[in-house]
C-alpha cells in the first residue's frame, strides 16, 4: 500500500451531466486536461463537489472509472465512497480498488447520526476493509453530515480499528483542531485541508495538500498563494487569499456548486447543471454572477482575456 502523503492542490471534481440529467462522460477527459494544465496535482472524485450523494452507485462507479482513464496515471485519483448504506459504500470501495485508484475516502452515514467515535470507527473500518490495499482517508465535513464527533478523538481511536487509515480530509474551519490532528502520534496521519478560503491559515498550520472545489476554476491563483507563502512574502500571500475570498463570497450568494458550474461554462467547460435537490441558476442569476465576477479582482482579468480571444 502506498502511504506517501499528498501534496499540492487537489481538485474536488465536478460530475458532468447532459441536459436530461444523465452522465456526460465525454466531458471528463477535456476537464481533466484543463485541470492538469492549470496546475492541479490530484483529483478527488464523487465528493460533495461531485454530487456523489446524488448519484446512483452504478453512476459513481462510471464516473470514478472515467476520471481514472482520463488521468492516465499522471496524478493521483482519490474516490469518495461514503454512503448511507455501508454495504453500498463497501461495493464502491472494492470497485475503486479494482480500477486502481490511489486512495479512497469516505464520509460517515448522515441519515442515522453517528453517536460516538467508536461507532464511527467501526463504520469506517467496514468500508476501508473492502479495499485493504488502498490508503483510506476519513472525510470530515460536519456542515453536511451533521456529525458532532470530536474528530481528533476519532483519529486517535481509529488507527486501532482501520489498518489502512492514512489520513483525514478536513473540511471545517477550526484551524486549532486541524493542527491538533496533525500532531497525533507525532504526525502519523496525512491531514489534508478542505476550506479553500482559508488555505493561507492552513499553510501556516502545516498543511502540505488541499482538496477543494474552487481549484477547478482558480488553481493558478492558489498556486501563486502557495509560492508567496513559501517565499515568506506574507503580504502577497494575504492579498492573493483575499482575492479567493472575494470570488467565493460572490459565488456564495447563489447555490454554490451550481454557480461554480456556471463559472466553468464561462471558462469553456459545459458540465451541465447540478441535480436536485441542488437547483440550477436562473438566466438572470447567471448574468448577475457574470457581472459580479467580471468586476472581481481575479476573474476580471481571466474573463476579459477569454472575451478577447473570442472576439
Amino acid at each position: 500500500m502506498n502511504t506517501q502523503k499528498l501534496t499540492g492542490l487537489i481538485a474536488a471534481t465536478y460530475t458532468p451531466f447532459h441536459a436530461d440529467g444523465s452522465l456526460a462522460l465525454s466531458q471528463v477527459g477535456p476537464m481533466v486536461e484543463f485541470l492538469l494544465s492549470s496546475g492541479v496535482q490530484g483529483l478527488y472524485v464523487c465528493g460533495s463537489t461531485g454530487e456523489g450523494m446524488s448519484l446512483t452507485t452504478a453512476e459513481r462507479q462510471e464516473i470514478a472509472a472515467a476520471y481514472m482513464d482520463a488521468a492516465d496515471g499522471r496524478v493521483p485519483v482519490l474516490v469518495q465512497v461514503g454512503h448511507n448504506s455501508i454495504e453500498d459504500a463497501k461495493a464502491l470501495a472494492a470497485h475503486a480498488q479494482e480500477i486502481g485508484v490511489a486512495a479512497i475516502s469516505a464520509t460517515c452515514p448522515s441519515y442515522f447520526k453517528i453517536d460516538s467515535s467508536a461507532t464511527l470507527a467501526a463504520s469506517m473500518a467496514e468500508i476501508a476493509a473492502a479495499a485493504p490495499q488502498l490508503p483510506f482517508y476519513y472525510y470530515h465535513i460536519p456542515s453536511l453530515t451533521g456529525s458532532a464527533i470530536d474528530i481528533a478523538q476519532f483519529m486517535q481511536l481509529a488507527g486501532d480499528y482501520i489498518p489502512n487509515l492514512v489520513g483525514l480530509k478536513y473540511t471545517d474551519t477550526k484551524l486549532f483542531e486541524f493542527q491538533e490532528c496533525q500532531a497525533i502520534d507525532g504526525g502519523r496521519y496525512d491531514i489534508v485541508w478542505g476550506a479553500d478560503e482559508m488555505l493561507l491559515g492552513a499553510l501556516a498550520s502545516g498543511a502540505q495538500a488541499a482538496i477543494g472545489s474552487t481549484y477547478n476554476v482558480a488553481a493558478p491563483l492558489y498556486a501563486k498563494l502557495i509560492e508567496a507563502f513559501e517565499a515568506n512574502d506574507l503580504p502577497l500571500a494575504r492579498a492573493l487569499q483575499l482575492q479567493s475570498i472575494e470570488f467565493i463570497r460572490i459565488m456564495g450568494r447563489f447555490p454554490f456548486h451550481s454557480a461554480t458550474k456556471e463559472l466553468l461554462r464561462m471558462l469553456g467547460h459545459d458540465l451541465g447543471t447540478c441535480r436536485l435537490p441542488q437547483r440550477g441558476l436562473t438566466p438572470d442569476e447567471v448574468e448577475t454572477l457574470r457581472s459580479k465576477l467580471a468586476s472581481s479582482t481575479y476573474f476580471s482579468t481571466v474573463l476579459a482575456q477569454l472575451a478577447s480571444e473570442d472576439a
Side-chain angles (χ1 to χ4, degrees), residues 204-286:
S205 300
Q208 298 297 310
I211 298 172
S213 306
T214 64
Y215 308 150
N216 286 277
V217 293
L221 170 64
Y222 294 102
K224 290 178 183 177
L225 189 162
I226 293 170
E227 182 180 347
F229 174 78
E230 292 177 343
N232 204 31
D233 189 345
L234 294 183
L236 177 58
R238 286 193 290 267
L240 293 167
Q241 183 70 84
L242 191 59
Q243 291 183 30
S244 158
I245 293 168
E246 180 187 22
F247 82 77
I248 288 173
R249 285 179 67 86
I250 290 171
M251 294 194 298
R253 299 177 188 178
F254 309 91
F256 185 85
H257 291 304
S258 295
T260 309
K261 277 194 164 183
E262 290 298 340
L263 175 52
L264 279 168
R265 200 190 317 273
M266 296 174 202
L267 298 176
H269 300 277
D270 186 356
L271 303 188
T273 58
C274 293
R275 279 186 176 174
L276 289 171
Q278 298 187 84
R279 70 169 181 85
L281 272 58
T282 67
D284 285 346
E285 286 176 324
V286 172

Side-chain angles (χ1 to χ4, degrees), residues 93-109:
H95 175 263
Q97 179 171 284
E98 181 182 327
I99 64 174
V101 306
I104 57 170
S105 177
T107 59
C108 62

Side-chain angles (χ1 to χ4, degrees), residues 62-196:
E62 287 185 77
I63 284 293
Y67 271 103
M68 271 296 293
D69 288 345
D72 195 25
R74 291 173 291 175
V75 294
V77 176
L78 293 79
V79 174
Q80 197 285 122
V81 300
H83 202 291
N84 273 319
S85 163
I86 297 293
E87 290 303 312
D88 275 353
K90 289 163 63 176
L92 288 165
H95 175 263
Q97 179 171 284
E98 181 182 327
I99 64 174
V101 306
I104 57 170
S105 177
T107 59
C108 62
S110 57
Y111 185 86
F112 294 112
K113 304 303 180 190
I114 298 288
D115 63 357
S116 70
S117 294
T119 301
L120 178 57
S123 300
M124 294 301 105
E126 285 208 21
I127 298 170
Q133 298 171 25
L134 293 181
F136 178 80
Y137 288 79
Y138 176 60
Y139 180 8
H140 178 60
I141 183 164
S143 63
L144 291 181
T145 64
S147 171
I149 300 303
D150 183 316
I151 191 60
Q153 182 184 71
F154 163 74
M155 292 299 292
Q156 289 168 336
L157 176 68
D160 295 331
Y161 286 80
I162 309 171
N164 51 337
L165 176 68
V166 301
L168 173 70
K169 180 182 185 294
Y170 185 88
T171 304
D172 203 353
T173 58
K174 301 172 184 173
L175 281 168
F176 68 90
E177 190 175 62
F178 174 74
Q179 190 170 354
E180 184 181 8
C181 290
Q182 287 184 307
I184 293 170
D185 289 351
R188 171 182 177 182
Y189 295 114
D190 187 14
I191 312 299
V192 182
W193 185 248
D196 308 4

Side-chain angles (χ1 to χ4, degrees), residues 23 46 51-62 83 88 92 275:
L23 297 180
C46 287
E51 301 178 74
M53 298 309 180
S54 297
L55 304 178
T56 68
T57 296
E59 286 175 328
R60 289 171 70 169
Q61 292 173 339
E62 287 185 77
H83 202 291
D88 275 353
L92 288 165
R275 279 186 176 174

